[in-house]
Each structure stands twice: as C-alpha cells, then as structure tokens.
Amino acid sequence: MDEIKIGSLNIAYKRKGKGAPIVLLHGALSDSRVWRRQLDDLSNEFTVVAWDAPGCGRSTDPPETFRLPDFADCLAEFIQEIGLDKPHILGLSFGSGLALELYRRHPNIPKSLILASAYAGWAGSLPPEVVEERLKMAFKQSELPPDHVVDKWIPTLFTKSVSSTVINENKEIMSEFHPVGMRVMSVAFAEADLRDVLPTIEVPTLLLYGEKDQRSPLNIASELHSRIPTSKLVIIPDVGHVANQEAPEIFNAEIRNFLRGIQK
C-alpha cells in the first residue's frame, strides 16, 4: 500500500491500473481490502484507487469530532494530492454518503457518481428511532471484542447463500476495525441528511442495490432514484448489502458498462 499525509492524518491507499480514474470508498467496519475484486478486474481499463478512510485499515484515527464534511474535505485533498483529474467516485454504504457529501462541497471533482447500497445519510433515509438504535449499537459494539461484533454484523450484510470464502475474508477485515473509527463514522452518518443534495446532482449517477439488502432496502433505492435527476437504478438479484463482494462479476460489469457509456 501507498501512504500520504493529509493534514494531520496518514491516509493509506491502493492504486492499480491505467486509464480513467475511479476512486473507491468503502463502508464502516471496513477498509480498502473489500475492493480486491474491483481492483483486480477493473484495473485493465481504469486507474482504480481504494483508500482506507480515516479511522480504518492502515490510516490513522481522526479526532472524535470528525464529521461527514471533514471526511469529504479530506477526500477532496487526497484526490488532489495523488493527482487524479475528474475521477469517477464509487461509494458503498457509508462511502455512498461520503460521495454525496463530496459532491455537495466539491461539485467540480466527480465526473460521475456510483452509489452502491446507498443512503442519503442515516438521518436522510431512516426513521429517527432506527438511527438512534444503530448509533447506540455502534457505541456499545466499539467496546466489545472483535469476534462479538463480527458475528452480529455478518448476517446483516450478506444473504445465506454467500460463499464461505467471502464470509471469512470479511471476518478478517472487520475484526481489525478501529473503535474510534467505528464511533466517528457512526455519529457522522447518524447526523447526515443529504436529501437536499440529491436534486442538485448534474453528473451521471448509477445506483446499485442488492435485491435482498437488509441495511439499505429497496425503498431507499427508489427514494434516491426519484430524487436524483441523472440517476439510473440497477438492482442485482439475490444479493445483500455488500454486493461488490457477493456478486462481483455482475457488479463490475454494471460499472464497466456505465462508465463506457459516459466516455463515449
């Protein structure tokens, strides 16, 4: 992995391939390793960059006061510092909200948005009682042994038919979560209401959802699709929240077709 200093934070990232740049933004309890199949497959046509967000993977923890605008400003500086011009921005779950906040604060950066298992922030997509419950759970779990946390999360992320290889890979990644990062990302997303951004989006936008997503169900997909004028909605059958790992061939093909259409 490479590493770069952004303000007071060390940001680790992976970069592979040549061509139009794509920046991959992972979700919570995660890091750049979840994008292995995208880095390997898409790099024959694109420059693919996957960062470890502040508080995740090999990147340093941000202060507990860090919020979604801070993540977005850090991301904007990261993109500039590593020399990417008008990248396509692909975000999964928390990463999708970060992509939307990046667009709000730095609309000239993204050439397109690919929002997978997306929310308009928790506050923008979930009932208040659900947001409160998720936030309480995150703070409680941040103090638990990793194996306790992983065992609770895995069933909410994948369908029962997912391969043991994917499950074991995610258990390894999730077991190395940063407690500070988990709390900071949860508070940032619990406070985020990005609904006002949606109708302002002018770049091509692909919405990718798993048909059986428990955490970001299809009513949220329909809501975002109705509010983003430039959006195309694709539902991947029989997969859950982490569709890029559960159905990587379909996921990657949809991305490739979408980006080829833009670049024509």
Side-chain angles (χ1 to χ4, degrees):
M1 293 190 74
D2 295 314
E3 191 172 286
I4 191 170
K5 190 91 167 180
I6 303 296
S8 63
L9 301 174
N10 293 322
I11 302 297
Y13 67 99
K14 297 174 181 176
R15 181 173 187 158
K16 190 172 182 180
K18 292 183 178 180
I22 311 172
V23 176
L24 311 180
L25 310 175
H26 61 78
L29 282 185
S30 188
D31 60 44
S32 58
R33 287 176 288 177
V34 299
W35 297 113
R36 177 176 62 82
R37 294 163 182 83
Q38 285 68 50
L39 283 158
D40 290 345
D41 181 57
L42 297 173
S43 57
N44 66 351
E45 188 173 350
F46 303 97
T47 299
V48 188
V49 176
W51 82 339
D52 288 350
C56 300
R58 297 188 183 181
S59 294
T60 52
D61 288 340
E64 297 255 10
T65 55
F66 220 65
R67 295 296 182 264
L68 201 59
D70 301 305
F71 279 99
D73 290 347
C74 179
L75 176 60
E77 188 173 346
F78 168 78
I79 289 169
Q80 180 180 8
E81 288 297 316
I82 66 171
L84 302 183
D85 181 42
K86 298 291 287 184
H88 305 285
I89 306 294
L90 165 54
L92 174 75
S93 193
F94 175 90
S96 68
L98 174 53
L100 289 170
E101 185 67 26
L102 177 72
Y103 187 86
R104 182 211 297 275
R105 298 176 67 80
H106 306 276
N108 293 326
I109 289 180
K111 184 168 185 177
S112 73
L113 297 174
I114 303 170
L115 309 176
S117 308
Y119 305 88
W122 281 352
S125 291
L126 300 172
E129 62 273 14
V130 175
V131 175
E132 183 179 0
E133 178 61 28
R134 288 192 179 191
L135 191 55
K136 286 181 179 178
M137 185 64 69
F139 270 74
K140 179 181 179 180
Q141 291 178 342
S142 72
E143 299 176 351
L144 295 176
D147 58 329
H148 287 55
V149 178
V150 171
D151 288 344
K152 290 181 181 296
W153 273 74
I154 287 290
T156 73
L157 300 177
F158 301 98
T159 64
K160 292 181 180 179
S161 61
V162 70
S163 72
S164 59
T165 300
V166 171
I167 293 295
N168 292 335
E169 185 176 351
N170 276 272
K171 284 184 174 181
E172 180 179 352
I173 295 169
M174 294 170 66
S175 68
E176 298 174 7
F177 76 89
H178 300 206
V180 170
M182 184 179 187
R183 292 193 296 271
V184 166
M185 293 176 95
S186 297
V187 174
F189 222 33
E191 293 179 354
D193 185 345
L194 300 161
R195 285 176 290 185
D196 63 313
V197 181
L198 306 180
T200 72
I201 295 174
E202 297 180 349
V203 297
T205 302
L206 175 64
L207 302 172
L208 276 173
Y209 284 81
E211 180 188 19
K212 297 182 178 179
D213 191 338
Q214 298 178 47
R215 296 192 61 82
S216 183
L218 295 185
N219 65 297
I220 296 177
S222 298
E223 180 71 12
L224 266 65
H225 184 40
S226 69
R227 288 173 175 260
I228 301 175
T230 57
S231 66
K232 173 187 178 183
L233 173 60
V234 173
I235 298 170
I236 302 176
D238 300 319
V239 299
H241 191 62
V242 191
N244 67 303
Q245 290 182 285
E246 191 164 357
E249 295 85 2
I250 300 173
F251 189 94
N252 294 349
E254 292 292 348
I255 291 169
R256 199 182 293 275
N257 291 337
F258 173 71
L259 295 182
R260 284 175 177 172
I262 292 172
Q263 292 173 181
K264 286 182 179 178

